[in-house]
Amino acid sequence: MMKLHELTQSDLDILKSIENIVDGIAAMYGQHTEVVLHSLDAKHPSVIKIANGHITGREVGAPITNLAIQKLKSGQDISNAYLTKCANGKTLRSTTTIIRNSKDQPIGLLCINTDMDAPLQSVLRTMMPEQLFSSEQTHS
């Protein structure tokens, strides 16, 4: 059984620094992809940052799911993609990545969930840039 521990200030700082990555991934993949940052603090394991929470209906403070705990116990730091059905019936394609501190302890999970039931045209539209060709033809 994996035991969660109380997070230190350093652990919390690591998780805080990942919050903008949540927004970046959501900006890249659009409204049909939920990005969730979970804290694995023993006192209150929960969602600490979420983008596109409308997909599963979760928000900051939501409890960590049993599936997330199972992925943590699997021993894989980055899961293979897997399919699940969420409470509202949507089929999600997901990956879970374990975030570790300098002592190699799991302190958080970054989960990416794509709504596989979203209409393809809508998915493609959300992935197109607002402006197809900008005046600068450079990539970051």
Side-chain angles (χ1 to χ4, degrees):
M1 171 76 185
M2 168 159 278
K3 189 172 178 326
L4 298 181
H5 63 280
E6 206 170 306
L7 299 188
T8 65
Q9 187 57 52
S10 171
D11 295 339
L12 296 172
D13 291 345
I14 292 167
L15 293 176
K16 183 83 178 150
S17 73
I18 293 172
E19 288 186 8
N20 65 351
I21 294 170
V22 169
D23 291 330
I25 294 168
M28 174 69 189
Y29 291 102
Q31 68 185 6
H32 301 295
T33 296
E34 178 187 71
V35 187
V36 187
L37 179 60
H38 292 281
S39 162
L40 293 176
D41 187 48
K43 287 189 295 189
H44 193 54
S46 64
V47 173
I48 56 172
K49 173 80 175 176
I50 189 165
N52 296 325
H54 62 271
I55 292 173
T56 60
R58 290 182 295 178
E59 54 191 34
V60 169
I64 195 164
T65 62
N66 289 334
L67 183 62
I69 295 291
Q70 285 176 353
K71 292 295 173 188
L72 184 61
K73 291 177 184 172
S74 76
Q76 286 183 291
D77 272 11
I78 302 168
S79 73
N80 293 323
Y82 54 95
L83 292 178
T84 56
K85 274 226 186 282
C86 60
N88 60 20
K90 289 179 182 164
T91 300
L92 304 179
R93 181 177 188 263
S94 307
T95 62
T96 300
T97 303
I98 297 174
I99 301 159
R100 295 181 180 276
N101 64 13
S102 59
K103 296 178 186 151
D104 207 35
Q105 297 168 313
I107 59 169
L109 299 172
L110 181 64
C111 303
I112 303 171
N113 305 307
T114 299
D115 180 359
M116 299 303 286
D117 297 330
L120 185 58
Q121 286 299 320
S122 179
V123 172
L124 293 174
R125 213 171 17 258
T126 63
M127 293 184 78
M128 295 305 284
E130 295 292 321
Q131 204 176 346
L132 213 39
F133 298 101
S134 64
S135 53
E136 291 179 51
Q137 293 292 317
T138 58
H139 301 309
S140 54

